[in-house]
Amino acid sequence: MKIKKEEALFYHNGDSPGKLEIKPKKPFKTQRDLSLAYTPGVAFPCLEIKEDPIRSYDYTIRSNLVGVVTNGTAVLGLGDIGSLASKPVMEGKALLFKRFAGIDVFDIEIDEKDPDKFCEVVKKISPTFGAINLEDIKAPECFYIEKKLKEELDIPVMHDDQHGTAIVSAAALLNAIEITGKDISQIRLVINGAGAAAIACGRLYRKLGVKNIIMLDSKGVISKKRDDLPEHKKEFATDENIRSLKEAMYGADVFIGLSKGNILSKNMVLSMNEEPIIFALANPTPEIFPEDVYSVRDDAIVATGRSDYPNQINNVIAFPFIFRGALDTRAESINDQMILSAIRGIAELAKKEVPEEIKEIYESDLRFGRDYIIPKPFDHRLLIEVPVKVAEASLKLGVARVKDFDLERYREDLKKLSYELLSSFK
């Protein structure tokens, strides 16, 4: 789908600049409403919160508010365009949170590239929010920033550019492996790219049981023979005597592309093992187009980051619903077990029968198989299945602040929310 510049600019401006606005959700028509909303009535919840800070979740928007925070150093495919220029993207991220999970967002663009100073700013404003979504921060600083904020804050922190792609691709990978009948502990997996998303993918795949990972950066295979590797790449250094993507692909079972377009050749695809799994996720031009794969291999499973091909790996399948579950249990963090639970929830949903209304949206007979290994973004059941998995994990691990949390009632509440969102965004 091609978008023209004039069309995009009009969408963002039109009758009113931007994509967001703030609306009151309590009555505000009378003098009494004014007295309740502001002085003197507002003093009572203030004093309750002073006595017990957790009550802030009861009396303020904090219980449903995520801060989408960036410094604009790695914006989509635009690179380091600065904090102010990143604001349209952050507003777009806020819109996704609201549309798919009913979560409110304040987008915060911080003009600061120093990691420690950036963390200090986020730490100072964190009482405003129930969770922090870090966005579009370049590597390797993003690893340090996320780690430090997770250690210092008592609310969930997640850098979606790292974990979003990792979570969704991991769910798709589990299903693709099931279809091909491969053993996850025995596969050879090649990751082309070594940025934030690639590192997060590699780490997460290992947690799922993948043992043999070959990673490449712009200089070639990340090898133990190289002396130019930063710490975050050293953990993926191989002792195999290979240097190029061509050599890495020979006998590979899985290819994960997080690099640039048209870098994977048909001959490389031919050199892979039987029933190869190829996730070519560079956007808008993938490392290889699906039709090129199928022209030489009819046994492949292919995914891309594009919406005009089957099996789109899209972060929106994960982050709104993970934050939903974390917010609703008032979790102190988003940890590995919550993420792994989300992955399994996403993977399991793809195996369930797809309702007719979702098939109509995509004009396709969606059935679990090679062309449908991951749910579609507009599958409203994601809002039910994934938050429940995340909430359940947070309760079991003791990071939830809500006690006596009823998961069955929560599932029913999510069904109601799903219906409300479908109705309001028609």
Side-chain angles (χ1 to χ4, degrees), residues 142-143 146 159-167 169-170 191 193-208 213 215 232 235-236 258 336 339 343:
C142 63
F143 304 118
E146 185 192 43
H159 183 212
D160 182 51
D161 298 296
Q162 291 182 58
H163 305 295
T165 299
I167 292 165
S169 66
I191 301 177
I199 296 295
C201 283
R203 289 171 176 170
L204 191 51
Y205 299 160
R206 279 179 172 169
K207 290 183 174 72
L208 292 174
I213 296 177
M215 185 176 288
H232 65 278
E235 64 186 274
F236 292 100
L258 294 158
D336 287 347
I339 286 175
I343 290 169

PDB file of all heavy atoms in Angstrom, residues 142-143 146 159-167 169-170 191 193-208 213 215 232 235-236 258 336 339 343:
ATOM      1  N   CYS A 142      20.413   1.919  24.371  1.00  0.00           N
ATOM      2  CA  CYS A 142      19.096   1.434  24.781  1.00  0.00           C
ATOM      3  C   CYS A 142      19.191   0.276  25.775  1.00  0.00           C
ATOM      4  O   CYS A 142      18.345   0.150  26.669  1.00  0.00           O
ATOM      5  CB  CYS A 142      18.272   1.038  23.560  1.00  0.00           C
ATOM      6  SG  CYS A 142      18.956  -0.331  22.607  1.00  0.00           S
ATOM      7  N   PHE A 143      20.224  -0.569  25.634  1.00  0.00           N
ATOM      8  CA  PHE A 143      20.387  -1.688  26.563  1.00  0.00           C
ATOM      9  C   PHE A 143      20.670  -1.174  27.978  1.00  0.00           C
ATOM     10  O   PHE A 143      20.086  -1.629  28.955  1.00  0.00           O
ATOM     11  CB  PHE A 143      21.527  -2.608  26.115  1.00  0.00           C
ATOM     12  CG  PHE A 143      21.373  -3.150  24.722  1.00  0.00           C
ATOM     13  CD1 PHE A 143      22.298  -2.860  23.737  1.00  0.00           C
ATOM     14  CD2 PHE A 143      20.293  -3.953  24.390  1.00  0.00           C
ATOM     15  CE1 PHE A 143      22.164  -3.350  22.454  1.00  0.00           C
ATOM     16  CE2 PHE A 143      20.149  -4.458  23.097  1.00  0.00           C
ATOM     17  CZ  PHE A 143      21.076  -4.143  22.135  1.00  0.00           C
ATOM     18  N   GLU A 146      17.476   0.766  29.472  1.00  0.00           N
ATOM     19  CA  GLU A 146      16.410  -0.115  29.945  1.00  0.00           C
ATOM     20  C   GLU A 146      16.829  -0.842  31.221  1.00  0.00           C
ATOM     21  O   GLU A 146      16.058  -0.936  32.188  1.00  0.00           O
ATOM     22  CB  GLU A 146      16.031  -1.137  28.878  1.00  0.00           C
ATOM     23  CG  GLU A 146      14.838  -1.986  29.302  1.00  0.00           C
ATOM     24  CD  GLU A 146      14.609  -3.195  28.418  1.00  0.00           C
ATOM     25  OE1 GLU A 146      15.593  -3.860  28.062  1.00  0.00           O
ATOM     26  OE2 GLU A 146      13.439  -3.476  28.113  1.00  0.00           O
ATOM     27  N   HIS A 159      11.475  -1.661  26.556  1.00  0.00           N
ATOM     28  CA  HIS A 159      11.881  -1.003  25.313  1.00  0.00           C
ATOM     29  C   HIS A 159      11.308  -1.804  24.154  1.00  0.00           C
ATOM     30  O   HIS A 159      11.832  -2.872  23.809  1.00  0.00           O
ATOM     31  CB  HIS A 159      13.411  -0.932  25.214  1.00  0.00           C
ATOM     32  CG  HIS A 159      13.894  -0.197  24.002  1.00  0.00           C
ATOM     33  ND1 HIS A 159      15.061  -0.512  23.360  1.00  0.00           N
ATOM     34  CD2 HIS A 159      13.353   0.840  23.300  1.00  0.00           C
ATOM     35  CE1 HIS A 159      15.236   0.290  22.325  1.00  0.00           C
ATOM     36  NE2 HIS A 159      14.209   1.118  22.270  1.00  0.00           N
ATOM     37  N   ASP A 160      10.232  -1.317  23.570  1.00  0.00           N
ATOM     38  CA  ASP A 160       9.493  -2.113  22.584  1.00  0.00           C
ATOM     39  C   ASP A 160      10.323  -2.440  21.355  1.00  0.00           C
ATOM     40  O   ASP A 160      10.152  -3.496  20.754  1.00  0.00           O
ATOM     41  CB  ASP A 160       8.209  -1.379  22.178  1.00  0.00           C
ATOM     42  CG  ASP A 160       7.388  -2.186  21.194  1.00  0.00           C
ATOM     43  OD1 ASP A 160       7.130  -3.375  21.488  1.00  0.00           O
ATOM     44  OD2 ASP A 160       7.033  -1.660  20.132  1.00  0.00           O
ATOM     45  N   ASP A 161      11.231  -1.548  20.962  1.00  0.00           N
ATOM     46  CA  ASP A 161      12.037  -1.812  19.768  1.00  0.00           C
ATOM     47  C   ASP A 161      12.914  -3.050  19.961  1.00  0.00           C
ATOM     48  O   ASP A 161      13.255  -3.727  18.999  1.00  0.00           O
ATOM     49  CB  ASP A 161      12.912  -0.596  19.436  1.00  0.00           C
ATOM     50  CG  ASP A 161      12.071   0.627  19.132  1.00  0.00           C
ATOM     51  OD1 ASP A 161      11.334   0.597  18.143  1.00  0.00           O
ATOM     52  OD2 ASP A 161      12.129   1.595  19.907  1.00  0.00           O
ATOM     53  N   GLN A 162      13.308  -3.305  21.200  1.00  0.00           N
ATOM     54  CA  GLN A 162      14.024  -4.552  21.482  1.00  0.00           C
ATOM     55  C   GLN A 162      13.051  -5.722  21.548  1.00  0.00           C
ATOM     56  O   GLN A 162      13.147  -6.679  20.792  1.00  0.00           O
ATOM     57  CB  GLN A 162      14.744  -4.457  22.836  1.00  0.00           C
ATOM     58  CG  GLN A 162      15.904  -3.503  22.909  1.00  0.00           C
ATOM     59  CD  GLN A 162      16.548  -3.560  24.277  1.00  0.00           C
ATOM     60  OE1 GLN A 162      16.994  -4.616  24.727  1.00  0.00           O
ATOM     61  NE2 GLN A 162      16.605  -2.420  24.949  1.00  0.00           N
ATOM     62  N   HIS A 163      12.106  -5.636  22.454  1.00  0.00           N
ATOM     63  CA  HIS A 163      11.334  -6.815  22.834  1.00  0.00           C
ATOM     64  C   HIS A 163      10.110  -7.073  21.967  1.00  0.00           C
ATOM     65  O   HIS A 163       9.674  -8.219  21.863  1.00  0.00           O
ATOM     66  CB  HIS A 163      10.925  -6.688  24.299  1.00  0.00           C
ATOM     67  CG  HIS A 163      12.091  -6.475  25.210  1.00  0.00           C
ATOM     68  ND1 HIS A 163      13.067  -7.425  25.397  1.00  0.00           N
ATOM     69  CD2 HIS A 163      12.454  -5.400  25.958  1.00  0.00           C
ATOM     70  CE1 HIS A 163      13.984  -6.956  26.243  1.00  0.00           C
ATOM     71  NE2 HIS A 163      13.634  -5.734  26.589  1.00  0.00           N
ATOM     72  N   GLY A 164       9.543  -6.047  21.356  1.00  0.00           N
ATOM     73  CA  GLY A 164       8.341  -6.247  20.550  1.00  0.00           C
ATOM     74  C   GLY A 164       8.564  -7.223  19.408  1.00  0.00           C
ATOM     75  O   GLY A 164       7.849  -8.221  19.258  1.00  0.00           O
ATOM     76  N   THR A 165       9.576  -6.932  18.599  1.00  0.00           N
ATOM     77  CA  THR A 165       9.895  -7.822  17.481  1.00  0.00           C
ATOM     78  C   THR A 165      10.300  -9.200  17.981  1.00  0.00           C
ATOM     79  O   THR A 165       9.928 -10.230  17.401  1.00  0.00           O
ATOM     80  CB  THR A 165      11.028  -7.226  16.626  1.00  0.00           C
ATOM     81  OG1 THR A 165      10.599  -5.967  16.104  1.00  0.00           O
ATOM     82  CG2 THR A 165      11.397  -8.148  15.480  1.00  0.00           C
ATOM     83  N   ALA A 166      11.051  -9.228  19.073  1.00  0.00           N
ATOM     84  CA  ALA A 166      11.495 -10.511  19.622  1.00  0.00           C
ATOM     85  C   ALA A 166      10.307 -11.360  20.059  1.00  0.00           C
ATOM     86  O   ALA A 166      10.244 -12.559  19.776  1.00  0.00           O
ATOM     87  CB  ALA A 166      12.443 -10.271  20.797  1.00  0.00           C
ATOM     88  N   ILE A 167       9.356 -10.750  20.738  1.00  0.00           N
ATOM     89  CA  ILE A 167       8.194 -11.483  21.252  1.00  0.00           C
ATOM     90  C   ILE A 167       7.341 -12.039  20.118  1.00  0.00           C
ATOM     91  O   ILE A 167       6.989 -13.219  20.104  1.00  0.00           O
ATOM     92  CB  ILE A 167       7.354 -10.563  22.163  1.00  0.00           C
ATOM     93  CG1 ILE A 167       8.129 -10.250  23.450  1.00  0.00           C
ATOM     94  CG2 ILE A 167       5.995 -11.196  22.490  1.00  0.00           C
ATOM     95  CD1 ILE A 167       7.573  -9.094  24.240  1.00  0.00           C
ATOM     96  N   SER A 169       8.077 -12.399  16.855  1.00  0.00           N
ATOM     97  CA  SER A 169       8.794 -13.368  16.010  1.00  0.00           C
ATOM     98  C   SER A 169       8.998 -14.688  16.742  1.00  0.00           C
ATOM     99  O   SER A 169       8.997 -15.760  16.121  1.00  0.00           O
ATOM    100  CB  SER A 169      10.136 -12.785  15.550  1.00  0.00           C
ATOM    101  OG  SER A 169      11.023 -12.593  16.633  1.00  0.00           O
ATOM    102  N   ALA A 170       9.162 -14.619  18.065  1.00  0.00           N
ATOM    103  CA  ALA A 170       9.324 -15.863  18.840  1.00  0.00           C
ATOM    104  C   ALA A 170       8.047 -16.695  18.805  1.00  0.00           C
ATOM    105  O   ALA A 170       8.101 -17.928  18.676  1.00  0.00           O
ATOM    106  CB  ALA A 170       9.699 -15.535  20.284  1.00  0.00           C
ATOM    107  N   ILE A 191      20.794 -14.992  12.313  1.00  0.00           N
ATOM    108  CA  ILE A 191      20.214 -13.654  12.457  1.00  0.00           C
ATOM    109  C   ILE A 191      21.102 -12.672  11.714  1.00  0.00           C
ATOM    110  O   ILE A 191      22.279 -12.495  12.067  1.00  0.00           O
ATOM    111  CB  ILE A 191      20.102 -13.232  13.936  1.00  0.00           C
ATOM    112  CG1 ILE A 191      19.231 -14.215  14.718  1.00  0.00           C
ATOM    113  CG2 ILE A 191      19.535 -11.816  14.046  1.00  0.00           C
ATOM    114  CD1 ILE A 191      19.137 -13.909  16.210  1.00  0.00           C
ATOM    115  N   GLY A 193      21.832  -9.039  11.204  1.00  0.00           N
ATOM    116  CA  GLY A 193      21.573  -7.794  11.904  1.00  0.00           C
ATOM    117  C   GLY A 193      21.993  -7.965  13.343  1.00  0.00           C
ATOM    118  O   GLY A 193      21.903  -9.066  13.906  1.00  0.00           O
ATOM    119  N   ALA A 194      22.490  -6.878  13.953  1.00  0.00           N
ATOM    120  CA  ALA A 194      22.967  -6.976  15.335  1.00  0.00           C
ATOM    121  C   ALA A 194      22.596  -5.724  16.123  1.00  0.00           C
ATOM    122  O   ALA A 194      23.306  -5.337  17.052  1.00  0.00           O
ATOM    123  CB  ALA A 194      24.476  -7.203  15.358  1.00  0.00           C
ATOM    124  N   GLY A 195      21.469  -5.111  15.741  1.00  0.00           N
ATOM    125  CA  GLY A 195      20.974  -3.954  16.476  1.00  0.00           C
ATOM    126  C   GLY A 195      20.164  -4.383  17.683  1.00  0.00           C
ATOM    127  O   GLY A 195      20.179  -5.553  18.090  1.00  0.00           O
ATOM    128  N   ALA A 196      19.403  -3.439  18.236  1.00  0.00           N
ATOM    129  CA  ALA A 196      18.645  -3.696  19.461  1.00  0.00           C
ATOM    130  C   ALA A 196      17.672  -4.856  19.299  1.00  0.00           C
ATOM    131  O   ALA A 196      17.600  -5.751  20.146  1.00  0.00           O
ATOM    132  CB  ALA A 196      17.900  -2.430  19.877  1.00  0.00           C
ATOM    133  N   ALA A 197      16.912  -4.857  18.198  1.00  0.00           N
ATOM    134  CA  ALA A 197      15.926  -5.917  17.994  1.00  0.00           C
ATOM    135  C   ALA A 197      16.600  -7.269  17.798  1.00  0.00           C
ATOM    136  O   ALA A 197      16.138  -8.290  18.325  1.00  0.00           O
ATOM    137  CB  ALA A 197      15.045  -5.592  16.791  1.00  0.00           C
ATOM    138  N   ALA A 198      17.704  -7.301  17.051  1.00  0.00           N
ATOM    139  CA  ALA A 198      18.399  -8.563  16.786  1.00  0.00           C
ATOM    140  C   ALA A 198      18.967  -9.167  18.066  1.00  0.00           C
ATOM    141  O   ALA A 198      18.846 -10.381  18.309  1.00  0.00           O
ATOM    142  CB  ALA A 198      19.519  -8.338  15.770  1.00  0.00           C
ATOM    143  N   ILE A 199      19.577  -8.335  18.896  1.00  0.00           N
ATOM    144  CA  ILE A 199      20.135  -8.821  20.159  1.00  0.00           C
ATOM    145  C   ILE A 199      19.019  -9.373  21.044  1.00  0.00           C
ATOM    146  O   ILE A 199      19.142 -10.457  21.636  1.00  0.00           O
ATOM    147  CB  ILE A 199      20.896  -7.703  20.888  1.00  0.00           C
ATOM    148  CG1 ILE A 199      22.117  -7.250  20.077  1.00  0.00           C
ATOM    149  CG2 ILE A 199      21.312  -8.157  22.284  1.00  0.00           C
ATOM    150  CD1 ILE A 199      23.197  -8.294  19.907  1.00  0.00           C
ATOM    151  N   ALA A 200      17.909  -8.629  21.131  1.00  0.00           N
ATOM    152  CA  ALA A 200      16.779  -9.087  21.952  1.00  0.00           C
ATOM    153  C   ALA A 200      16.203 -10.389  21.411  1.00  0.00           C
ATOM    154  O   ALA A 200      15.832 -11.277  22.178  1.00  0.00           O
ATOM    155  CB  ALA A 200      15.703  -8.010  22.009  1.00  0.00           C
ATOM    156  N   CYS A 201      16.112 -10.501  20.083  1.00  0.00           N
ATOM    157  CA  CYS A 201      15.618 -11.745  19.476  1.00  0.00           C
ATOM    158  C   CYS A 201      16.515 -12.912  19.856  1.00  0.00           C
ATOM    159  O   CYS A 201      16.041 -13.976  20.282  1.00  0.00           O
ATOM    160  CB  CYS A 201      15.562 -11.603  17.957  1.00  0.00           C
ATOM    161  SG  CYS A 201      14.165 -10.654  17.333  1.00  0.00           S
ATOM    162  N   GLY A 202      17.813 -12.740  19.688  1.00  0.00           N
ATOM    163  CA  GLY A 202      18.752 -13.812  20.008  1.00  0.00           C
ATOM    164  C   GLY A 202      18.645 -14.258  21.457  1.00  0.00           C
ATOM    165  O   GLY A 202      18.631 -15.453  21.751  1.00  0.00           O
ATOM    166  N   ARG A 203      18.561 -13.297  22.358  1.00  0.00           N
ATOM    167  CA  ARG A 203      18.458 -13.629  23.785  1.00  0.00           C
ATOM    168  C   ARG A 203      17.168 -14.384  24.084  1.00  0.00           C
ATOM    169  O   ARG A 203      17.170 -15.351  24.854  1.00  0.00           O
ATOM    170  CB  ARG A 203      18.534 -12.348  24.612  1.00  0.00           C
ATOM    171  CG  ARG A 203      19.916 -11.700  24.636  1.00  0.00           C
ATOM    172  CD  ARG A 203      19.880 -10.325  25.283  1.00  0.00           C
ATOM    173  NE  ARG A 203      21.225  -9.756  25.391  1.00  0.00           N
ATOM    174  CZ  ARG A 203      21.470  -8.483  25.742  1.00  0.00           C
ATOM    175  NH1 ARG A 203      20.461  -7.675  26.020  1.00  0.00           N
ATOM    176  NH2 ARG A 203      22.712  -8.041  25.825  1.00  0.00           N
ATOM    177  N   LEU A 204      16.075 -13.939  23.465  1.00  0.00           N
ATOM    178  CA  LEU A 204      14.785 -14.571  23.731  1.00  0.00           C
ATOM    179  C   LEU A 204      14.711 -15.964  23.110  1.00  0.00           C
ATOM    180  O   LEU A 204      14.187 -16.904  23.722  1.00  0.00           O
ATOM    181  CB  LEU A 204      13.660 -13.685  23.200  1.00  0.00           C
ATOM    182  CG  LEU A 204      12.232 -14.063  23.613  1.00  0.00           C
ATOM    183  CD1 LEU A 204      12.116 -14.242  25.114  1.00  0.00           C
ATOM    184  CD2 LEU A 204      11.259 -12.991  23.138  1.00  0.00           C
ATOM    185  N   TYR A 205      15.235 -16.122  21.902  1.00  0.00           N
ATOM    186  CA  TYR A 205      15.231 -17.444  21.270  1.00  0.00           C
ATOM    187  C   TYR A 205      16.001 -18.457  22.115  1.00  0.00           C
ATOM    188  O   TYR A 205      15.621 -19.629  22.193  1.00  0.00           O
ATOM    189  CB  TYR A 205      15.843 -17.382  19.868  1.00  0.00           C
ATOM    190  CG  TYR A 205      15.128 -16.485  18.882  1.00  0.00           C
ATOM    191  CD1 TYR A 205      15.782 -16.023  17.739  1.00  0.00           C
ATOM    192  CD2 TYR A 205      13.809 -16.077  19.083  1.00  0.00           C
ATOM    193  CE1 TYR A 205      15.142 -15.205  16.820  1.00  0.00           C
ATOM    194  CE2 TYR A 205      13.167 -15.244  18.180  1.00  0.00           C
ATOM    195  CZ  TYR A 205      13.838 -14.813  17.054  1.00  0.00           C
ATOM    196  OH  TYR A 205      13.203 -13.995  16.145  1.00  0.00           O
ATOM    197  N   ARG A 206      17.077 -17.998  22.734  1.00  0.00           N
ATOM    198  CA  ARG A 206      17.831 -18.897  23.613  1.00  0.00           C
ATOM    199  C   ARG A 206      16.974 -19.356  24.790  1.00  0.00           C
ATOM    200  O   ARG A 206      17.045 -20.511  25.205  1.00  0.00           O
ATOM    201  CB  ARG A 206      19.089 -18.193  24.112  1.00  0.00           C
ATOM    202  CG  ARG A 206      20.235 -18.206  23.105  1.00  0.00           C
ATOM    203  CD  ARG A 206      21.447 -17.470  23.637  1.00  0.00           C
ATOM    204  NE  ARG A 206      22.602 -17.657  22.751  1.00  0.00           N
ATOM    205  CZ  ARG A 206      23.725 -16.964  22.847  1.00  0.00           C
ATOM    206  NH1 ARG A 206      23.848 -16.047  23.800  1.00  0.00           N
ATOM    207  NH2 ARG A 206      24.729 -17.192  22.019  1.00  0.00           N
ATOM    208  N   LYS A 207      16.188 -18.444  25.333  1.00  0.00           N
ATOM    209  CA  LYS A 207      15.310 -18.806  26.450  1.00  0.00           C
ATOM    210  C   LYS A 207      14.259 -19.838  26.021  1.00  0.00           C
ATOM    211  O   LYS A 207      13.763 -20.605  26.842  1.00  0.00           O
ATOM    212  CB  LYS A 207      14.631 -17.562  27.018  1.00  0.00           C
ATOM    213  CG  LYS A 207      15.568 -16.622  27.766  1.00  0.00           C
ATOM    214  CD  LYS A 207      14.821 -15.448  28.355  1.00  0.00           C
ATOM    215  CE  LYS A 207      15.723 -14.582  29.230  1.00  0.00           C
ATOM    216  NZ  LYS A 207      16.685 -13.798  28.470  1.00  0.00           N
ATOM    217  N   LEU A 208      13.929 -19.837  24.729  1.00  0.00           N
ATOM    218  CA  LEU A 208      12.966 -20.809  24.212  1.00  0.00           C
ATOM    219  C   LEU A 208      13.612 -22.149  23.896  1.00  0.00           C
ATOM    220  O   LEU A 208      12.910 -23.117  23.598  1.00  0.00           O
ATOM    221  CB  LEU A 208      12.294 -20.262  22.949  1.00  0.00           C
ATOM    222  CG  LEU A 208      11.355 -19.071  23.139  1.00  0.00           C
ATOM    223  CD1 LEU A 208      10.878 -18.556  21.783  1.00  0.00           C
ATOM    224  CD2 LEU A 208      10.159 -19.435  24.007  1.00  0.00           C
ATOM    225  N   ILE A 213      23.026 -20.295  17.348  1.00  0.00           N
ATOM    226  CA  ILE A 213      22.679 -19.022  16.716  1.00  0.00           C
ATOM    227  C   ILE A 213      23.931 -18.415  16.097  1.00  0.00           C
ATOM    228  O   ILE A 213      24.953 -18.244  16.769  1.00  0.00           O
ATOM    229  CB  ILE A 213      22.074 -18.022  17.732  1.00  0.00           C
ATOM    230  CG1 ILE A 213      20.749 -18.554  18.283  1.00  0.00           C
ATOM    231  CG2 ILE A 213      21.869 -16.650  17.087  1.00  0.00           C
ATOM    232  CD1 ILE A 213      20.122 -17.673  19.351  1.00  0.00           C
ATOM    233  N   MET A 215      25.056 -14.949  14.318  1.00  0.00           N
ATOM    234  CA  MET A 215      24.610 -13.566  14.122  1.00  0.00           C
ATOM    235  C   MET A 215      25.622 -12.814  13.263  1.00  0.00           C
ATOM    236  O   MET A 215      26.838 -13.020  13.391  1.00  0.00           O
ATOM    237  CB  MET A 215      24.430 -12.862  15.473  1.00  0.00           C
ATOM    238  CG  MET A 215      23.858 -11.456  15.372  1.00  0.00           C
ATOM    239  SD  MET A 215      23.560 -10.684  16.996  1.00  0.00           S
ATOM    240  CE  MET A 215      22.123 -11.618  17.552  1.00  0.00           C
ATOM    241  N   HIS A 232      27.650  -6.337  24.029  1.00  0.00           N
ATOM    242  CA  HIS A 232      26.356  -6.925  23.685  1.00  0.00           C
ATOM    243  C   HIS A 232      26.435  -7.840  22.462  1.00  0.00           C
ATOM    244  O   HIS A 232      25.515  -8.626  22.225  1.00  0.00           O
ATOM    245  CB  HIS A 232      25.296  -5.842  23.471  1.00  0.00           C
ATOM    246  CG  HIS A 232      25.552  -4.940  22.304  1.00  0.00           C
ATOM    247  ND1 HIS A 232      26.414  -3.864  22.366  1.00  0.00           N
ATOM    248  CD2 HIS A 232      25.056  -4.944  21.043  1.00  0.00           C
ATOM    249  CE1 HIS A 232      26.438  -3.250  21.201  1.00  0.00           C
ATOM    250  NE2 HIS A 232      25.634  -3.875  20.378  1.00  0.00           N
ATOM    251  N   GLU A 235      28.342 -11.922  23.298  1.00  0.00           N
ATOM    252  CA  GLU A 235      27.588 -13.091  23.760  1.00  0.00           C
ATOM    253  C   GLU A 235      27.093 -13.961  22.605  1.00  0.00           C
ATOM    254  O   GLU A 235      26.665 -15.097  22.817  1.00  0.00           O
ATOM    255  CB  GLU A 235      26.415 -12.651  24.635  1.00  0.00           C
ATOM    256  CG  GLU A 235      25.360 -11.828  23.927  1.00  0.00           C
ATOM    257  CD  GLU A 235      24.309 -11.300  24.885  1.00  0.00           C
ATOM    258  OE1 GLU A 235      23.346 -12.042  25.157  1.00  0.00           O
ATOM    259  OE2 GLU A 235      24.444 -10.156  25.348  1.00  0.00           O
ATOM    260  N   PHE A 236      27.155 -13.428  21.366  1.00  0.00           N
ATOM    261  CA  PHE A 236      26.731 -14.204  20.202  1.00  0.00           C
ATOM    262  C   PHE A 236      27.904 -14.576  19.292  1.00  0.00           C
ATOM    263  O   PHE A 236      27.692 -15.049  18.169  1.00  0.00           O
ATOM    264  CB  PHE A 236      25.677 -13.423  19.409  1.00  0.00           C
ATOM    265  CG  PHE A 236      24.378 -13.281  20.140  1.00  0.00           C
ATOM    266  CD1 PHE A 236      24.060 -12.110  20.812  1.00  0.00           C
ATOM    267  CD2 PHE A 236      23.483 -14.336  20.203  1.00  0.00           C
ATOM    268  CE1 PHE A 236      22.870 -11.979  21.506  1.00  0.00           C
ATOM    269  CE2 PHE A 236      22.299 -14.223  20.893  1.00  0.00           C
ATOM    270  CZ  PHE A 236      21.985 -13.043  21.558  1.00  0.00           C
ATOM    271  N   LEU A 258      16.960  -8.822  10.130  1.00  0.00           N
ATOM    272  CA  LEU A 258      16.706  -7.544  10.799  1.00  0.00           C
ATOM    273  C   LEU A 258      17.772  -6.562  10.332  1.00  0.00           C
ATOM    274  O   LEU A 258      18.467  -5.938  11.122  1.00  0.00           O
ATOM    275  CB  LEU A 258      16.752  -7.728  12.320  1.00  0.00           C
ATOM    276  CG  LEU A 258      15.634  -8.619  12.891  1.00  0.00           C
ATOM    277  CD1 LEU A 258      16.024  -9.196  14.239  1.00  0.00           C
ATOM    278  CD2 LEU A 258      14.334  -7.841  13.004  1.00  0.00           C
ATOM    279  N   ASP A 336      10.943 -11.754  32.451  1.00  0.00           N
ATOM    280  CA  ASP A 336      11.063 -12.779  31.409  1.00  0.00           C
ATOM    281  C   ASP A 336       9.876 -13.731  31.391  1.00  0.00           C
ATOM    282  O   ASP A 336       9.391 -14.120  30.322  1.00  0.00           O
ATOM    283  CB  ASP A 336      12.356 -13.577  31.599  1.00  0.00           C
ATOM    284  CG  ASP A 336      13.591 -12.783  31.206  1.00  0.00           C
ATOM    285  OD1 ASP A 336      13.427 -11.729  30.565  1.00  0.00           O
ATOM    286  OD2 ASP A 336      14.711 -13.220  31.546  1.00  0.00           O
ATOM    287  N   ILE A 339       6.903 -12.227  29.772  1.00  0.00           N
ATOM    288  CA  ILE A 339       7.120 -12.166  28.328  1.00  0.00           C
ATOM    289  C   ILE A 339       6.938 -13.543  27.696  1.00  0.00           C
ATOM    290  O   ILE A 339       6.289 -13.684  26.651  1.00  0.00           O
ATOM    291  CB  ILE A 339       8.511 -11.579  28.021  1.00  0.00           C
ATOM    292  CG1 ILE A 339       8.501 -10.062  28.278  1.00  0.00           C
ATOM    293  CG2 ILE A 339       8.941 -11.878  26.586  1.00  0.00           C
ATOM    294  CD1 ILE A 339       9.853  -9.400  28.131  1.00  0.00           C
ATOM    295  N   ILE A 343       4.243 -14.752  24.835  1.00  0.00           N
ATOM    296  CA  ILE A 343       4.614 -15.462  23.608  1.00  0.00           C
ATOM    297  C   ILE A 343       3.730 -16.685  23.404  1.00  0.00           C
ATOM    298  O   ILE A 343       3.199 -16.916  22.309  1.00  0.00           O
ATOM    299  CB  ILE A 343       6.098 -15.887  23.660  1.00  0.00           C
ATOM    300  CG1 ILE A 343       7.004 -14.661  23.552  1.00  0.00           C
ATOM    301  CG2 ILE A 343       6.426 -16.884  22.545  1.00  0.00           C
ATOM    302  CD1 ILE A 343       8.458 -14.960  23.858  1.00  0.00           C
TER     303      ILE A 343
END
